[in-house]
Amino acid sequence: MPAFICTMCGTQHTPSDSPPAGCAICQEERQYVHPQGQGWTTLEQMRGAGRPWLASHRNGYVKYEPDLYGIVTAPGIGIGQRALLIRTPRGNVLWDCITYIDDATVEVIGKLGGIAAIAISHPHYYTTMVEWSHAFGRAPILLHEGDREWVLRPDPVIEFWKGATREIFPGVTLIHTAGHFTGATVLHWAAGAGGKGALLSGDSLQVVGPDKTVSFMWSYPNLIPLDAVTVRRIADIIEPWPFDSMYGAWPEALIKTGAQQVLAHAVDRYIEAVTQPPPGQRGEAVAPPARRSA
Ligand SMILES: [Zn+2]
Ligand SMILES: [Zn+2]
């Protein structure tokens, strides 16, 4: 039975004879269904149905720093997700996931040491995580318990974790921030940035790069921001973890150096922006307007 993939968000569903009725991730308020209707594909179809030279997609690789690689699919599928591979002496961690995987991907990553564990920031990156796990010796997939309801292809390789942090290997730690999703997580890699530390943030903390700033949204496509209290809480949760580089959700979404200072400034500026009128429009303080629609 084929495992259908939503063409809009790239999420693979549990195998079924016919396409599912809809994609729960796209139907939800944070995303949107394609204006021309729900589309489906399968990995088999994308891979050229047994003729890889006719595949519609290819994966490419970026080396960001020693032991950190980016994996990205061209042309883009879903929301253009990008995965990161961290190499550690105890085994490699795939951070976030992308929809497309083929034999060449497995071979290239195998030569980099394979994948010992998969961890994902939030449901927009669940994509074909079960395929990736199965291709790499059924590597465990670590997901925060808070987003359990968004797993559209359950599998025994998925392990839900609870609480504030979870160390995968020494120096590779998942930190629960919430915000964009209830279970939203970032990854702290102590050996990153030449030992100064790197923060891999998915789009829970949206890096606007290269080397620019950071912002925070509950919904990116629908431009619904997060509230000031939540953003301050996220900043407080991350504060004890030192880092110099920050890697966001897309290939260019990175802050190479000084990222901790950039984040601190971005948080202050964001909170000011969502609690004050814009500069030059700060007249008398007014009470927040009442809600007009039910
Ligand atoms: Zn979808
Ligand atoms: Zn997202």
Side-chain angles (χ1 to χ4, degrees):
M1 273 195 294
F4 287 94
I5 294 169
C6 168
T7 50
M8 195 71 210
C9 72
T11 308
Q12 189 184 49
H13 290 56
T14 296
S16 56
D17 284 325
S18 50
C23 171
I25 287 181
C26 286
Q27 287 169 340
E28 193 248 350
E29 216 183 339
R30 270 165 288 201
Q31 284 293 119
Y32 61 100
V33 176
H34 195 282
Q36 292 177 343
Q38 174 69 50
W40 299 103
T41 186
T42 62
L43 272 179
E44 175 68 4
Q45 201 178 323
M46 293 170 75
R47 288 167 178 159
R51 293 179 290 174
W53 52 94
L54 294 180
S56 57
H57 293 73
R58 303 270 188 281
N59 282 338
Y61 306 86
V62 184
K63 185 168 182 173
Y64 286 104
E65 52 178 282
D67 300 322
L68 183 68
Y69 296 82
I71 310 153
V72 66
T73 304
I77 167 153
I79 57 169
Q81 290 94 333
R82 189 271 315 270
L84 290 165
L85 184 78
I86 307 164
R87 297 207 296 173
T88 90
R90 289 278 300 276
N92 296 350
V93 175
L94 186 75
W95 168 247
D96 279 340
C97 201
I98 56 175
T99 299
Y100 191 63
I101 175 171
D102 58 12
D103 289 345
T105 309
V106 176
E107 197 169 324
V108 169
I109 294 178
K111 286 183 173 144
L112 292 169
I115 295 170
I118 299 171
I120 302 184
S121 60
H122 71 290
H124 293 150
Y125 284 75
Y126 288 176
T127 61
T128 59
M129 58 182 174
V130 172
E131 301 276 352
W132 283 77
S133 164
H134 290 183
F136 289 95
R138 305 182 83 79
I141 302 171
L142 301 170
L143 303 180
H144 194 274
E145 166 75 23
D147 289 334
R148 185 189 275 267
E149 66 182 291
W150 298 107
V151 173
L152 303 182
R153 182 180 175 184
D155 192 276
V157 295
I158 298 170
E159 205 181 298
F160 293 100
W161 66 279
K162 287 182 188 159
T165 60
R166 164 76 181 257
E167 192 175 66
I168 306 176
F169 295 128
V172 181
T173 309
L174 300 176
I175 306 166
H176 177 223
T177 61
H180 176 44
F181 268 82
T182 308
T185 300
V186 298
L187 184 149
H188 182 261
W189 177 38
K196 292 179 181 170
L199 192 73
L200 282 48
S201 68
D203 66 1
S204 302
L205 288 78
Q206 184 71 267
V207 175
V208 184
D211 297 318
K212 186 85 179 101
T213 186
V214 181
S215 196
F216 310 86
M217 289 276 189
W218 185 73
S219 167
Y220 290 96
N222 301 320
L223 302 175
I224 307 170
L226 279 179
D227 65 286
V229 173
T230 298
V231 169
R232 178 58 70 198
R233 199 188 59 231
I234 293 171
D236 289 347
I237 289 169
I238 291 169
E239 214 272 327
W241 300 85
F243 59 92
D244 193 43
S245 298
M246 204 169 159
Y247 294 88
W250 288 282
E252 70 287 3
L254 87 151
I255 297 169
K256 205 70 190 143
T257 187
Q260 200 152 25
Q261 292 72 28
V262 171
L263 176 63
H265 174 73
V267 167
D268 289 344
R269 196 196 53 168
Y270 181 94
I271 290 173
E272 191 177 305
V274 295
T275 53
Q276 307 271 333
Q281 300 172 44
R282 289 182 188 167
E284 263 175 64
V286 289
R291 188 172 180 155
R292 296 180 104 132
S293 62

mmCIF file of all heavy atoms in Angstrom, residues 122 124 180 203, ligand 2:
data_model
loop_
_atom_site.group_PDB
_atom_site.id
_atom_site.type_symbol
_atom_site.label_atom_id
_atom_site.label_comp_id
_atom_site.label_asym_id
_atom_site.label_seq_id
_atom_site.Cartn_x
_atom_site.Cartn_y
_atom_site.Cartn_z
ATOM 1 N N HIS A 122 9.334 20.283 15.412
ATOM 2 C CA HIS A 122 7.870 20.415 15.514
ATOM 3 C C HIS A 122 7.216 19.749 14.302
ATOM 4 O O HIS A 122 7.902 19.395 13.345
ATOM 5 C CB HIS A 122 7.477 21.883 15.659
ATOM 6 C CG HIS A 122 7.656 22.695 14.416
ATOM 7 N ND1 HIS A 122 8.889 23.032 13.902
ATOM 8 C CD2 HIS A 122 6.748 23.231 13.571
ATOM 9 C CE1 HIS A 122 8.722 23.738 12.804
ATOM 10 N NE2 HIS A 122 7.436 23.871 12.567
ATOM 11 N N HIS A 124 5.762 20.413 11.539
ATOM 12 C CA HIS A 124 5.988 20.804 10.149
ATOM 13 C C HIS A 124 7.223 20.133 9.556
ATOM 14 O O HIS A 124 7.464 20.224 8.342
ATOM 15 C CB HIS A 124 6.092 22.328 10.015
ATOM 16 C CG HIS A 124 4.792 23.019 10.321
ATOM 17 N ND1 HIS A 124 4.713 24.280 10.844
ATOM 18 C CD2 HIS A 124 3.509 22.592 10.172
ATOM 19 C CE1 HIS A 124 3.430 24.612 11.013
ATOM 20 N NE2 HIS A 124 2.689 23.591 10.617
ATOM 21 N N HIS A 180 5.576 28.083 18.934
ATOM 22 C CA HIS A 180 4.979 27.800 17.619
ATOM 23 C C HIS A 180 4.100 26.541 17.681
ATOM 24 O O HIS A 180 3.061 26.469 17.045
ATOM 25 C CB HIS A 180 6.122 27.663 16.624
ATOM 26 C CG HIS A 180 5.737 27.278 15.238
ATOM 27 N ND1 HIS A 180 4.673 27.824 14.567
ATOM 28 C CD2 HIS A 180 6.294 26.374 14.384
ATOM 29 C CE1 HIS A 180 4.597 27.279 13.354
ATOM 30 N NE2 HIS A 180 5.558 26.398 13.225
ATOM 31 N N ASP A 203 11.913 26.317 13.064
ATOM 32 C CA ASP A 203 11.333 27.652 12.899
ATOM 33 C C ASP A 203 10.565 28.076 14.152
ATOM 34 O O ASP A 203 9.756 28.984 14.129
ATOM 35 C CB ASP A 203 10.501 27.793 11.616
ATOM 36 C CG ASP A 203 9.252 26.941 11.601
ATOM 37 O OD1 ASP A 203 8.997 26.244 12.593
ATOM 38 O OD2 ASP A 203 8.530 26.988 10.591
HETATM 39 ZN ZN ZN B 2 6.422 25.430 11.510
#
